[in-house]
Amino acid sequence: MSFYDTLLKLESMPLGEQSGQYGRNDVERALSREKLDPEDLLALLSPAAVPYLEEMAQKAHRITRAHFGYAVQLFTPMYVADYCVNQCTYCSFSVEHDFARKKLTMEEVDREASAIAATGLRHILLLTGESRKDSPVSYVKECAGVLRRHFSSVSIEVNPLSLEEYRELAACGVDGLTMFQEVYDRETYARLHVKGPKRNFRARLDAPERGCQAGFRSVTIGALLGLSDWRREAFMTAMHARYLQDRYPGTEISIAPPRFRPYLGSFSPESDVTDRALVQIILAYRLFLPRSGLTLSTREPAALRDRLVHLGITKISAGVTTEVGGHTGGGGTPQFEISDERSVPEIREMLYRSGLQPVFKDWDILAEAPV
Amino acid sequence: MSQDLFHIGGKSLSSRLFIGTGKYSRNTLIPEVVEASGSEVITVALRRIDPASREENILTHIPPHMTLLPNTSGARTAEEAVRIARLARAAGMGNWVKIEVINDQKYLLPDNLETVKATEILAAEGFIVLPYMSPDLSAALRLRDVGAAAVMPLGAPIGSNRGLKTKELVGILIEEAGLPVIVDAGIGRPSEAAEAMEMGAAAVLLNTAIATARDPLLMAEAFRGAVASGRQAYLAGLGAVRNAAEASSPLTGFLSV
């Protein structure tokens, strides 16, 4: 059993355009319930829910304050390598793009980490391009060992790994895993992932579950919104999160709702995800999964991020660069263009102004230090 | 009436309201809440403490007269809770510890089995252990036997503000556990705190109800009064609750003639 089996069954539900069959009564019933079922989630993502966005927002706000208070955790991604063996039509790191690839040495990782830690951040997300050859598990492990000297929590966003490899990383202090499925629609997935191991839909889909089994404290999933019908993608993401939450109660499951951003290539998304749609997605996530983390990236513009933090967001990135070595002036190629270029102190001040408390440290790694 | 002190862990406390430090909009509110609540014990999640940060370090906002109750929030096993407790003591946070072992991220319900294990280890190491637990008598008795200084049953899931949903079970613990019962989690209204105290709880611990109130300071004051009133009522001895009304014209009065 894996989420793949669940996904096959869910594909028969009225997804995407078909969700137009839901009406006001369905939305009102969903809003009145404490524990929502998949039909409620579909209703909240459907066009019928649009007139209820304010009501959804009020409820999402109440739930978030009860469970998380005013705390919003800060983190930043750190790109250490941009070598990639996949050809994905929507990503700068795709193997088809010709640019000078980079991979940080441990000295450079240490320098980059020092620069980030000096801003007060204690949570770091380590990223690589997807290449087992250029950024193998041993490299990720070595980087994590350096990062542990600077941060109280180290998460990774790398190519899907085996259960044993995840266990190895968890044992040496990596405590979080982020794995974006990118697209849950299998046909679209096959079309957008032209070459490379990333074509294996199932291997990617099961990676978060392997992360839970390996003992990572937190696992973050998500779809890259815009690559396919957003209602369908948001529904599958939330169902995936609930699947993991039900089976691995000790793991904190979070969702990130990134929207497509300009990158090195010329691909245009087929599904336009408006600000209103993004709000609807975030609210539906919060109502369906009251205790899940919700992560907001710098793909969204500053003015919008300032508003979204009140709708259920519990983690936010700050001081972001998507280039390898970007925190120490590395000058690599950005994976995508960010929209909110504010520094850590600026994000901190924004949160305080919004009546929220920036949490720089929310965990201490308890695993033994790697040898 | 002589002063009604709460003796626990070698300390004598005049307030029976324990408060938390999480969920506030800013840490600078904490000293004001301490003042308004009259509380003398404050729990703080060790995982959130960053000694390297001068501005964001929560400890710098806790008045020195408070008894620190570091908690093991984030621990999923007894082993993790023990490591967190030892780190707290090594960091100079004293020898009180609130054991929180939670392996359920959906409802945040405690794992009593792991909690007993952690309590046994830490009590033997000289910690004053206050375990957060689901209100189960067998678990409470085991916690007593392995050296807990009190038990902290939940009134309702953390952050739910649902009140004393476990009232019957907490009542049994108060009667039978043989050690102080501090109701923790779920209390959302001052009247619910008063109710717990009227039942004979030794103290209550709460965070969300104050931290997320529109006016946290006013709410802290309200809880201060409610806890004191509830305790007074308990000491005064509540009148018996009768099912039948005492009729002014009894129907069986003729029998005494």
Side-chain angles (χ1 to χ4, degrees), chain A residues 298 300-307 339-342 347 350:
Chain A
T298 49
E300 302 307 333
L304 184 62
R305 295 225 301 170
D306 293 2
R307 305 301 176 105
S339 300
D340 183 351
E341 296 183 348
R342 286 177 294 182
I347 295 293
M350 177 276 282

Side-chain angles (χ1 to χ4, degrees), chain A residues 226-243:
Chain A
L227 296 185
S228 186
D229 181 285
W230 64 261
R231 290 193 164 91
R232 178 193 176 93
E233 293 297 309
F235 173 76
M236 288 302 186
T237 307
M239 291 305 295
H240 193 181
R242 179 171 275 186
Y243 168 92

